[in-house]
Amino acid sequence: MTDRDKKAPTNPSRRTILKGTAAGAGALAFSGIAPSYFMRNAWAQEYPALGNFPVSGSTATYGFVVPLTGSYADEGADELKAYELAVKHINEGGGMLDTMKPLSLTGQGVLGKKIEWVQGDAQTNPDAARAAARRMIERDNVIMFSGGSSSAVAVAQQYLAQEKGVIFMCGLTHSNDTTGKDRRRYGFREFFNAYMSGQALGPIVAQEYGTDRVAFHLTADYTWGHTQYESMKDSTERQGWTTANNIMTPLGTRDYSQYLTAVLNSEADVLVLNHYGADMVNSLTQAIRFGMRDRQVNGKDMVVVVPLYSRLMAAGAGLESIEGVLGTTNWHQTAGDPGSEAFIKAFEEAYGAPPSQAAQTVYVQTLLFSDAAERAGTFYPPEMIKALEDHEYDGMGPSPSLYRGADHQVFKDIFVVRGKAPSASTSEFDLLEVVQQVPRSQVEYPPDMMPGELGPYEPA
């Protein structure tokens, strides 16, 4: 949380230099030597108040809204660790600050201010997350907020961000709608989306299991599940698969027996679980107990696919359940690039375990926001937004990345992974193997494919 015991950095920041430059420019302008417009570009105080800008004092505060309770609580706990580590590195150096390119951060805070943080529980619930974020904005004066492991939560917070004029750096949100129809100027997503999962996974499941397959989907009944189902359906049907049925299941379901019985009574030879977190753990383990992988249908061995995967989910389900199950991840601990290795090393030293994809995502988001402030030379939200839009960066994962300005979606390589067999696992954290690192070019799409409006830079 906050760390008020350490001294704020004393070296001059870019903002301090700009202020000094502005003062000199002002004197020159009034003497007739320099044009007055130079003052506008250099003098940060000329920006109007907006959201929680300007930031007074020697500190700036970030707000982290994570699911500490509810179906996605495991991801939330790991996210909170990563946020704490990101703030430590922003204030003191280390981690991805040693690999990030381009880099404007110095490891001595942001714009001469030490970063502090506050937290709230999203409860895997949009209303609770929005209320927690609103408290942070109005009570704690956060200059940025981030977090979440639910797309419904992310969408709700993006609308709040646009309303309040405070930037929201999305955490784990996979719905197409987040940067599609519900995109907002004040929201940014580094995580990949359901369409990308479908584009990456469709050809591989067809190659692994054949093109003559019949799929039955069980789908979480909210924005993410809906777009995940549509994306997987479209992708697999282009490979020749047939979709037998889809059943929407409530978030937080514990007993999937009625839905699995419907699968057993169908002609499906593939079960696709569009579930995440504890929902995926429950539905997958129950499917295995129902003997799904021991069945033969249409002369084929039945298989299970989990389009959105994570190591935390794999650990919850256990090796016996995940063995051979294919899915996609935004990042994997075996990525091997310098940025990933630096992050893993720092995370393991701090917490004694490797990070999850949720942790890596929010860590990167926190650094990207902070670096954008340094590049913009101000916390003024419209200028920071412009610094993030169409920003290209590297050294934070396995491939160069682009924060596309048209919809605030990041494009980069993603991973198709498979659950390991118990005999192949070397530790409690060695649960998934990479089948393919799917290149960014394979999952890119034009922004108008998912129509939406970002809205103005300066909210009314």
Side-chain angles (χ1 to χ4, degrees), residues 434-455:
V434 175
V435 175
Q436 185 175 323
Q437 181 175 326
V438 180
R440 166 177 149 185
S441 60
Q442 187 174 322
V443 299
E444 287 179 321
Y445 57 89
D448 60 0
M449 191 186 84
M450 299 179 191
E453 295 294 331
L454 284 170

Side-chain angles (χ1 to χ4, degrees), residues 360-387:
Q360 190 267 353
T361 297
V362 301
Y363 176 91
V364 167
Q365 284 283 71
T366 309
L367 264 58
L368 286 171
F369 174 88
S370 304
D371 189 73
E374 287 287 347
R375 289 187 290 110
T378 178
F379 280 119
Y380 183 56
E383 294 302 314
M384 287 201 61
I385 290 169
K386 292 170 186 175

Side-chain angles (χ1 to χ4, degrees), residues 141-190:
N141 296 317
V142 298
I143 195 64
M144 174 274 276
F145 64 111
S146 180
S149 292
S150 158
S151 291
V153 164
V155 168
Q157 291 186 101
Q158 278 195 157
Y159 279 89
L160 178 67
Q162 190 75 28
E163 172 192 334
K164 291 291 190 178
V166 178
I167 293 173
F168 174 61
M169 301 297 285
C170 297
L172 195 159
T173 168
H174 193 238
S175 171
N176 293 336
D177 293 345
T178 307
T179 46
K181 71 179 183 64
D182 291 310
R183 70 183 70 157
R184 286 297 177 267
R185 184 74 63 184
Y186 278 69
F188 288 85
R189 171 164 63 181
E190 199 270 347

Side-chain angles (χ1 to χ4, degrees), residues 67 71-81 149 172 276-278 280-281 308-318 322 329 331-333 347 353-360 428-429 431-432:
S71 297
Y72 299 162
D74 287 347
E75 280 73 17
D78 225 39
E79 286 178 340
L80 197 57
K81 294 175 183 176
S149 292
L172 195 159
Y276 195 75
M280 176 273 191
V281 171
L308 180 58
Y309 230 155
S310 81
R311 178 180 57 78
L312 296 176
M313 290 159 50
I322 67 167
T329 66
W331 176 83
H332 192 259
Q333 66 198 53
F347 196 95
S356 64
Q357 67 171 350
Q360 190 267 353
E428 61 180 307
F429 307 113
L431 304 173
L432 303 173

Side-chain angles (χ1 to χ4, degrees), residues 33 70 75 77 100 107 114 127 146 150 173 175 181 185 198 207 210 229 235 299 313 321 325 355 394 405 457-458 460:
I33 299 174
E75 280 73 17
M100 183 178 175
K114 184 177 180 179
D127 292 336
S146 180
S150 158
T173 168
S175 171
K181 71 179 183 64
R185 184 74 63 184
Q207 179 181 336
Y229 164 65
S235 177
M313 290 159 50
S321 296
V325 175
D394 202 356
Y457 286 94
E458 298 184 8

